[in-house]
Each structure stands twice: as structure tokens, then as C-alpha cells.
Amino acid sequence: RFLRQNLGWMLFSLAVSLSLWVGVNRQQNPDVTNVVSNIPVEVVGVPSSLTVRNPPQTVSVRATAPRERWSNLGPENFKMFVDASLASVGINELKVQGRALSGSLRLEEAQPPLVQVGFEGLKSKDVPVIVNMLDAAPFGYRADPPTVSPERVTVSGPESQVLRVVGVAVDARLDGSRTRLSRWYKPTPIGIDKDEIRDVVIKPESVLVEVLVEQELMYKTVVVVPEFTGRVA
């Protein structure tokens, strides 16, 4: 009965108290607007037929937060991104979007509001596996030419990089083996000048190199026993 008769006044008192608390808090800790720099920009929604060749530079944001919060705020308190779902091959100008990762932080605007992002088409092709033997069979043994499985692999990635690939190289060693070499290696994509081509993917990732080693000469190890003649002076 007491609550029914006084509930309205109680709610009114609570609202007045909250208003006073908010007003006093804002006077003692007012909102301040500052600029935060060096915030990375993520590219999202990239079509499956494209890849990012020139990622966007970092951006700055203008944001508002209570004055006491600014001592602990930095780039990690923002998530900035561009939507590339409608991007095409070449340089695209995309709008920077984002949000603040703290409830007391309000994002006002990104600076600059637009960034340039470069996109390139994807390509794949089959290339041969080239095996380079870095040593020879031990003395008295003969090594057959190496065999590799599979003999060709698929390289895929940005079109400009894939077109430079002429094969994938494997550097193998016998390491004194006197029977048979059978080992898995991860090949390296190379260009026409034997330089390594980066930013491409190889499938399968590993190839099997096998080399048959056979004994060619019969020999054995013997002890050398010197024979002395005469006497010392």
C-alpha cells in the first residue's frame, strides 16, 4: 500500500538523482574530442576472383570520449575497414568504415574518408618440378637420375606473379646414402633467372624425390702397416 501510494514520487526522485549525477560527472569529466592516428584498415568482402595487391594505408579518426579516458585510448580501440565486395581489377577508391570498441568512445569520422586499394586477378597454371642434386654418391657407388612424384604441380596467386613462374625447384642431397633416397621436399617457385617468386601457392605442397643408389665397385677398407728397416743413429 505504501509503495502504491509513493511509487511515482520514488521514481521521480530516482530520475532526478540520476540526472544530477550525470550533470555533475560531465562537469568534472567532460567529453573531449581528439584525433587518433595510425589505425590499420582491414579489407573485407574481397571477391573470390581477386586478391589485394596494394593494401590501404593507415588512417586517423576523430573521436569523442570523457577526458579521463583519453590516457588509455589508442589505435587498438578502433576497428576500421573497407568493403571490397564491388571491387574490380585495378585501383579502387573505397569508403572507410569502422566503429569504436568501447562504449564510452564515440567515433565521429575517418580521416581520410576514402582510401585507394589495388586489386589483381587470380591465376593458376601447371609447371614442372626441377630436382637439383647437391651432392654425388659415395666412392664406389652410382646414383641413378632422380625421379619426382608428381612431376608437375599447380601454382596459383596474383596473375603478375604466376606468369613469372617457370617451374618449382627442389634441392636434394644423398648425404652419403648407399641404398636408396626417398624423401619429401617442399618445392620453391622460381622464375626464368632462378629467382624465387613469392606470393604464390603450390599444390600439392610437397613432392617425393627418389634416387636409386647402387654399388659399382667392390672395395674394402684396410689398415696401413708401415715396415721399418735399419736403426737410428
Side-chain angles (χ1 to χ4, degrees):
R1 185 176 182 181
F2 173 80
L3 290 176
R4 286 199 305 268
Q5 293 177 349
N6 298 278
L7 182 59
W9 287 106
M10 295 170 67
L11 293 176
F12 176 74
S13 300
L14 179 61
V16 171
S17 300
L18 288 174
S19 299
L20 290 173
W21 180 83
V22 171
V24 172
N25 187 66
R26 286 185 175 178
Q27 288 182 353
Q28 296 178 347
N29 188 25
D31 286 346
V32 176
T33 299
N34 281 328
V35 174
V36 181
S37 303
N38 299 321
I39 303 176
V41 180
E42 181 183 0
V43 182
V44 300
V46 181
S48 59
S49 60
L50 298 179
T51 183
V52 179
R53 287 296 295 162
N54 303 107
Q57 302 294 321
T58 58
V59 298
S60 300
V61 298
R62 192 166 63 87
T64 301
R67 182 172 56 193
E68 293 180 354
R69 285 294 316 280
W70 279 107
S71 60
N72 298 319
L73 294 178
E76 66 278 2
N77 294 103
F78 300 89
K79 180 177 178 60
M80 309 303 295
F81 63 92
V82 292
D83 183 5
S85 57
L86 300 179
S88 57
V89 174
I91 301 297
N92 293 249
E93 197 169 53
L94 303 177
K95 181 181 179 180
V96 180
Q97 306 176 59
R99 67 178 187 272
L101 302 179
S102 173
S104 60
L105 182 61
R106 186 170 67 254
L107 176 62
E108 304 291 347
E109 64 176 351
Q111 301 173 348
L114 300 174
V115 294
Q116 291 186 337
V117 186
F119 295 90
E120 187 174 352
L122 294 174
K123 185 179 179 62
S124 62
K125 69 177 181 180
D126 291 344
V127 295
V129 180
I130 304 167
V131 180
N132 302 315
M133 297 303 301
L134 301 182
D135 59 2
F139 174 75
Y141 288 80
R142 175 180 56 83
D144 290 345
T147 61
V148 60
S149 178
E151 295 181 349
R152 299 181 69 85
V153 297
T154 302
V155 294
S156 57
E159 184 175 6
S160 61
Q161 296 296 89
V162 172
L163 291 177
R164 295 176 56 201
V165 179
V166 298
V168 295
V170 172
D171 292 336
R173 289 182 176 274
L174 291 175
D175 291 330
S177 175
R178 289 175 167 80
T179 54
R180 182 186 185 92
L181 171 70
S182 181
R183 190 175 302 167
W184 290 90
Y185 293 89
K186 287 188 175 182
T188 301
I190 58 173
I192 193 169
D193 296 324
K194 309 299 183 183
D195 54 321
E196 181 180 353
I197 307 299
R198 301 184 181 275
D199 299 329
V200 297
V201 177
I202 302 175
K203 289 187 178 180
E205 296 181 351
S206 300
V207 295
L208 177 63
V209 176
E210 296 182 297
V211 180
L212 179 62
V213 180
E214 297 178 322
Q215 190 171 18
E216 193 172 44
L217 299 174
M218 294 299 294
Y219 72 96
K220 66 178 180 179
T221 302
V222 297
V223 178
V224 177
V225 182
E227 294 183 0
F228 296 96
T229 61
R231 294 184 300 174
V232 300

